[in-house]
């Protein structure tokens, strides 16, 4: 089965700029952003049973259970059968989540096309988070919770890198540049993926050579 839908993971530590880049991709390429962080924050804000269960875990900077986030993602994939594609932002964050996503996509005739890693050093992340905490007051941006989030990223999420390298899907982008420049680099990766997937492109070369 040829898989036409784009499935793109934005990967990187907390405050690397995944959300910012995901929103730009949504605007430029009509993709749907699936951010487990946003979904969980919405659950907390709504005071739902799920929100109550995850509230304190999130505030201290820990990861919520794999089952919860996998169910949220599958639900969104099911609710958007006509989407041109999906950008996963903040998911997967553990190896079991990555395996569950691969299985969920495979059972729907899809696969991850690329994992775009935003590379940002820890000092820059700390600076960004200080500014964001001052500006937005997000509860898990306080220094203690942020240190826990960064630790969890290094322990549980960074091991996904070899998982995707083994699949030949990892693309790296310098996330220390301006938002504009990062966006251009991400856009370039996307162009390559789209070109590789496009049947018109193959048709174009076939026509060229058959003249
Ligand atoms: P960040 O700025 O750290 O990337 P997010 O908005 O993606 O923040 O996530 C905020 C919090 O929501 C995380 O610290 C964690 O508690 C929870 N969370 C979000 N996505 C996941 C996930 N895929 N697995 C487990 N917990 C998650």
């Amino acid at each position: 089965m040829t898989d036409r839908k784009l499935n793109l993971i934005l990967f990187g530590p907390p405050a690397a700029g995944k959300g910012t880049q995901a929103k730009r991709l949504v605007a430029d390429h009509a993709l749907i952003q699936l951010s487990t962080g946003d979904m969980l924050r919405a659950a907390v804000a709504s005071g739902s049973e799920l929100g109550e269960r995850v509230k304190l875990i999130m505030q201290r900077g820990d990861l919520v259970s794999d089952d919860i986030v996998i169910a949220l993602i599958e639900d969104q994939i099911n609710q958007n059968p006509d989407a041109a594609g999906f950008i996963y932002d903040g998911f997967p964050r553990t190896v079991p989540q990555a395996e569950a996503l691969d299985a969920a996509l495979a059972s729907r005739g899809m696969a991850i096309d690329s994992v775009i890693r935003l590379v940002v050093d820890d000092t820059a992340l700390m600076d960004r988070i200080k500014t964001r905490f001052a500006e937005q007051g997000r509860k898990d941006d306080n220094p203690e919770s942020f240190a826990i989030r960064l630790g969890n990223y290094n322990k549980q999420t960074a091991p996904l890198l070899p998982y995707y390298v083994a699949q030949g899907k990892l693309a790296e982008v310098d996330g220390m540049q301006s938002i504009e420049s990062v966006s251009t680099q991400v856009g370039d990766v996307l162009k390559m993926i789209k070109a590789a997937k496009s049947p018109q492109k193959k048709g174009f070369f076939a026509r060229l050579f058959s003249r």
Side-chain angles (χ1 to χ4, degrees), residues 12-15 18 35-38 40-41 57-59 61-66 69 89-94 97 129 132 138 140-141 149:
K18 302 182 295 283
S35 160
T36 40
D38 286 351
L40 293 168
R41 274 187 291 278
I57 301 173
M58 291 176 74
Q59 274 184 21
D62 273 324
L63 294 185
V64 310
S65 76
D66 289 337
V69 287
D89 159 14
F91 180 93
R93 257 174 156 96
T94 64
Q97 290 179 24
I129 223 64
R132 192 165 85 181
R138 213 175 102 173
D140 60 349
D141 281 347
R149 283 158 64 199

Side-chain angles (χ1 to χ4, degrees), residues 81-99:
D82 301 324
F86 300 102
I87 309 164
Y88 304 90
D89 159 14
F91 180 93
R93 257 174 156 96
T94 64
V95 172
Q97 290 179 24
E99 289 169 349

